[in-house]
Amino acid sequence: MGSNLVIDTVTTFETGSGEALTPYVLKLTSTGEGNAETDETIYADIVAKDGTKETVTFGSIGSKTTGYKFFKSSIANIDLDHLVLYMNNNADKSKIKSVSLIRGGTSNLNGAYTIPVYAEISQSNPWTGSLDSTVAAVDLKTSTQDNSGTDSGIAMGVVNTSGQSLGTTPIRFDTDRNHLESGDTDTAYFSASGLTADAIAGFTLKSDTGGDNSGWSLESMSNLKLLAAVRDGLSESVTDIAPGSLQTNQWIIQRDYAYTFMLSTAQTRQYQMDFKTSTKKDAGTDSDIQICLYNAAGESSGWIQQWHYNNPSGRDLNEKGDVNSLNFATDKDLGEITHIEIQTDDSGSHSDWYPEYVHVTPLWNGAAAGETAVFNINKWIEESGFTYTFYSEKYLAGNSQDTIAQLTNACNINLFEHLREDIIDRLMAATTTDLHIRLKNHDSISKELLQKLKDNGKNLLVEYYDDAEEYRYGWLFRAEDMTDITGDINMAITEVTPDATALGQIGGDRQVVQLHFAQSGDLGLTAGIRYRLPSGIGAEGQGYTIYHQNDNGRLSEITTGMLSDTGCVAFSITGGSDYLVALDAAQPGAPAVTKPAAAAPGTGIASTSTAMIAAAIIGLAVLILGAAVLVKRRR
């Protein structure tokens, strides 16, 4: 259809009543993507600025085709306000590329309106457009990495120059083939919310993570253009937004997360995170890890997932000595990252993780766009549901010892009970819910601090390490588990030699470790305990039973579990005194846990079979001696 389109040689028609009607043509073009065609009727409400409306019914339309509907209207010259396209039931859908309204009887296109659509319409999803309507077009390059293509539905939207994301709409294509496959470059179209090209500062992408291959590796975006509605023409206007290529190198894997890419390096929202796992024995993990980035104002990225097995790369992550990288385009302008939070789901056969560091570097167009934030971790990440908080070295260096950052990262503070009252109050006022502290000496936690934790909804993880920097044990105090706090709690735990009475109650051929808690009596709360058994005791995955020993020496079973790959047992307590760990018979071929442990008073280790044999020998000796005495008396 050329620029000299003539619909009719007359400008009006006369009805029988003498009313003059003006001829018009409604032109619809469908996209070329799959299932764009429809055999059902499309309806168009044409609304003029004075409120008058013409409803036109449009017949079926094929894929990547243009259809025309001729109609007559009593409106001599429709001054278009907006158009609405829809269908009469939700089972009917059509993917429309553009719509034109042409006033007939002219030798030129004066009075023609053309509006870009690029939307799927139905009864429940009508499309409304006007001369302010704009559509963005962008070439999306899928990488050639393994599993880089996707079957998921992708939506895109724009970010304005004020940094606001203006929502997303499903992307559309004008080719009839599979899209977003490995190595492909596809031109995608989506609504640009009526903006002009100079008002667009960036783009957001979302995935519904549907289909068999849900992950998508986006290598770059290029040839960004803006399609705008026109008056007096049959083709939309096209303006370059950014004609070059923007390297993204981003896996789109989290459902409905707004991955955001800015067109200026000064506004970048993408970061590269490098995770270094220690070379310590068993430092690697099978657990899924998630991380959250924060700036100094407390604004966050939200949780960023790092799946161990189901990650798109198809290989295990966070193995011993590994450095794994993850790019992430956040949905907020965070700027400099000052602190991070890490969580583990504590899953898999090797659940604990010992990272050395996490580095966070801002990225733009595939290159570093700012200073790297260094977070030195060097601790076990092991408690499921607990949030570990770490501050960057730069942030710590620029703040005094009185800051919350220093307090929550006070790895070598031994007497945290003696911190000034104002520092503790600031800690209680922090937005962080989960607090942790690392100690070397045994210490008590005061009733007053426990009460503050409870009143302020804070959880506290206290971890003890020996002089060789090896983990010994930890106490976890959760605000929700503090019922009636009765007093200070001495957190010292030592190993003692199990007595024969206790071993006799356990029975069987089992290794037993007895833990003596310096605190006795009711705690007034439930505390989580995690304790690393001595080196060489037990094997990974070996079952264990925890017993509580009362003041009369009687044992009661409180829980069972499986020994972790780091040789730890976990249980909860409501009172002090002694607890015994009885290991089940080891499975043949199971790897022994050989992590070193600090020395403790007494071995704290015994075998029930050895003890029973010893008891039997002693008993036999007593019987023999008793018999001898009896014989002697009889003589």
Side-chain angles (χ1 to χ4, degrees):
M1 185 174 289
S3 60
N4 294 321
L5 171 71
V6 177
I7 301 301
D8 203 286
T9 56
V10 295
T11 58
T12 61
F13 296 86
E14 293 289 336
T15 66
S17 61
E19 181 183 12
L21 298 178
T22 301
Y24 290 90
V25 170
L26 185 69
K27 172 189 172 185
L28 288 181
T29 302
S30 69
T31 67
E33 60 182 318
N35 302 318
E37 71 280 353
T38 179
D39 295 328
E40 305 300 329
T41 300
I42 300 172
Y43 296 85
D45 287 344
I46 304 168
V47 183
K49 283 186 167 51
D50 62 5
T52 56
K53 180 177 75 172
E54 286 283 352
T55 297
V56 179
T57 58
F58 199 97
S60 62
I61 187 170
S63 176
K64 204 175 183 180
T65 61
T66 299
Y68 303 90
K69 174 67 176 182
F70 175 81
F71 68 97
K72 303 170 186 177
S73 174
S74 60
I75 307 172
N77 189 7
I78 296 177
D79 188 9
L80 183 67
D81 182 76
H82 65 275
L83 271 164
V84 182
L85 300 177
Y86 57 96
M87 305 186 80
N88 62 2
N89 66 69
N90 282 326
D92 301 332
K93 297 179 181 179
S94 184
K95 299 172 182 177
I96 302 300
K97 177 179 179 180
S98 64
V99 57
S100 297
L101 176 65
I102 307 136
R103 182 175 180 272
T106 63
S107 59
N108 55 48
L109 294 179
N110 291 333
Y113 301 91
T114 297
I115 304 173
V117 179
Y118 288 96
E120 182 177 75
I121 63 170
S122 65
Q123 182 184 43
S124 61
N125 188 40
W127 172 87
T128 301
S130 69
L131 288 176
D132 293 327
S133 296
T134 52
V135 169
V138 57
D139 289 348
L140 302 175
K141 173 67 183 298
T142 301
S143 83
T144 56
Q145 296 184 50
D146 291 343
N147 306 312
S148 58
T150 186
D151 299 326
S152 299
I154 302 297
M156 290 188 68
V158 297
V159 180
N160 64 20
T161 51
S162 298
Q164 297 174 309
S165 295
L166 303 181
T168 59
T169 56
I171 59 175
R172 298 295 170 210
F173 304 96
D174 58 4
T175 55
D176 187 13
R177 62 177 178 83
N178 289 334
H179 302 99
L180 308 181
E181 299 294 330
S182 177
D184 281 358
T185 298
D186 300 283
T187 302
Y189 301 85
F190 57 95
S191 173
S193 304
L195 295 179
T196 58
D198 58 1
I200 296 176
F203 295 93
T204 58
L205 293 96
K206 287 185 178 181
S207 171
D208 64 8
T209 63
D212 294 333
N213 296 307
S214 58
W216 177 40
S217 177
L218 175 63
E219 181 177 303
S220 66
M221 297 190 293
S222 60
N223 298 322
L224 294 101
K225 301 179 184 299
L226 190 69
L227 313 181
V230 297
R231 183 167 185 162
D232 303 330
L234 292 182
S235 297
E236 61 268 18
S237 68
V238 180
T239 306
D240 284 339
I241 302 172
S245 178
L246 181 66
Q247 294 296 310
T248 53
N249 301 319
Q250 176 70 59
W251 279 99
I252 310 295
I253 54 177
Q254 289 187 209
R255 181 180 178 86
D256 292 333
Y257 190 93
Y259 295 84
T260 304
F261 303 93
M262 305 302 287
L263 301 179
S264 165
T265 181
Q267 297 177 304
T268 184
R269 299 186 185 182
Q270 190 180 29
Y271 297 88
Q272 176 177 311
M273 291 168 282
D274 298 313
F275 303 83
K276 171 64 187 298
T277 300
S278 170
T279 56
K280 293 167 66 75
K281 181 176 173 58
D282 297 324
T285 184
D286 295 334
S287 297
D288 290 338
I289 302 298
Q290 58 180 2
I291 184 171
C292 187
L293 310 180
Y294 286 86
N295 61 18
E299 298 172 307
S300 78
S301 63
W303 287 109
I304 301 167
Q305 307 292 335
Q306 189 202 40
W307 287 277
H308 179 75
Y309 287 117
N310 297 324
N311 64 83
S313 70
R315 69 182 188 87
D316 292 354
L317 302 178
N318 300 330
E319 297 297 324
K320 176 182 174 182
D322 277 0
V323 177
N324 299 115
S325 295
L326 173 67
N327 288 358
F328 200 83
T330 64
D331 61 352
K332 299 182 183 68
D333 184 7
L334 298 179
E336 182 180 357
I337 303 302
T338 58
H339 61 289
I340 61 175
E341 292 180 343
I342 298 176
Q343 287 186 348
T344 174
D345 68 354
D346 201 30
S347 62
S349 58
H350 295 78
S351 57
D352 296 348
W353 182 39
Y354 197 102
E356 283 188 12
Y357 63 72
V358 175
H359 291 175
V360 181
T361 306
L363 291 180
W364 187 77
N365 200 22
E371 185 178 352
T372 296
V374 177
F375 301 87
N376 289 321
I377 311 298
N378 293 311
K379 73 179 277 79
W380 287 102
I381 306 296
E382 53 198 356
E383 292 287 347
S384 175
F386 191 86
T387 301
Y388 296 82
T389 305
F390 303 94
Y391 286 76
S392 72
E393 293 301 297
K394 177 182 177 181
Y395 186 83
L396 292 176
N399 290 271
S400 71
Q401 289 288 336
D402 290 350
T403 63
I404 293 172
Q406 288 285 0
L407 185 60
T408 56
N409 287 270
C411 294
N412 294 312
I413 293 176
N414 290 311
L415 299 174
F416 67 95
E417 279 301 303
H418 303 292
L419 292 171
R420 293 207 320 264
E421 189 72 18
D422 64 315
I423 300 176
I424 294 178
D425 288 341
R426 289 171 64 188
L427 180 60
M428 294 300 113
T431 56
T432 303
T433 300
D434 293 332
L435 312 173
H436 68 269
I437 197 163
R438 173 172 164 167
L439 307 176
K440 283 188 177 179
N441 296 335
H442 300 310
D443 206 357
S444 294
I445 184 168
S446 70
K447 176 181 178 180
E448 290 73 24
L449 181 53
L450 288 170
Q451 190 63 50
K452 285 194 174 186
L453 291 169
K454 177 183 178 181
D455 294 343
N456 291 277
K458 304 293 184 183
N459 307 319
L460 176 64
L461 175 63
V462 183
E463 296 180 318
Y464 287 93
Y465 283 72
D466 61 21
D467 291 335
E469 296 299 325
E470 291 294 337
Y471 176 82
R472 291 298 313 282
Y473 58 87
W475 287 69
L476 177 59
F477 301 96
R478 293 189 181 276
E480 62 186 22
D481 295 330
M482 299 181 192
T483 52
D484 184 20
I485 302 168
T486 57
D488 299 351
I489 295 177
N490 188 330
M491 293 180 287
I493 305 174
T494 54
E495 295 166 13
V496 297
T497 302
D499 59 66
T501 302
L503 295 175
Q505 294 179 66
I506 294 173
D509 186 10
R510 307 175 73 178
Q511 285 183 306
V512 177
V513 178
Q514 184 161 341
L515 305 178
H516 174 70
F517 285 68
Q519 181 69 32
S520 61
D522 182 55
L523 302 180
L525 52 80
T526 299
I529 303 296
R530 188 181 184 92
Y531 193 92
R532 175 168 292 164
L533 298 183
S535 177
I537 301 302
E540 177 189 336
Q542 187 173 350
Y544 62 81
T545 304
I546 305 292
Y547 296 92
H548 175 250
Q549 186 178 46
N550 65 19
D551 293 339
N552 297 322
R554 297 293 301 170
L555 300 186
S556 57
E557 180 181 327
I558 62 171
T559 191
T560 60
M562 304 288 285
L563 199 63
S564 76
D565 58 301
T566 54
C568 289
V569 297
F571 55 101
S572 297
I573 66 171
T574 57
S577 70
D578 283 20
Y579 291 81
L580 288 85
V581 182
L583 297 175
D584 298 343
Q587 297 296 319
V593 175
T594 57
K595 283 188 172 290
T603 64
I605 308 163
S607 167
T608 52
S609 60
T610 303
M612 291 175 71
I613 292 171
I617 293 173
I618 293 171
L620 181 60
V622 170
L623 286 174
I624 294 173
L625 180 60
V629 171
L630 181 60
V631 170
K632 186 175 181 179
R633 285 178 178 174
R634 284 180 178 175
R635 285 179 179 174

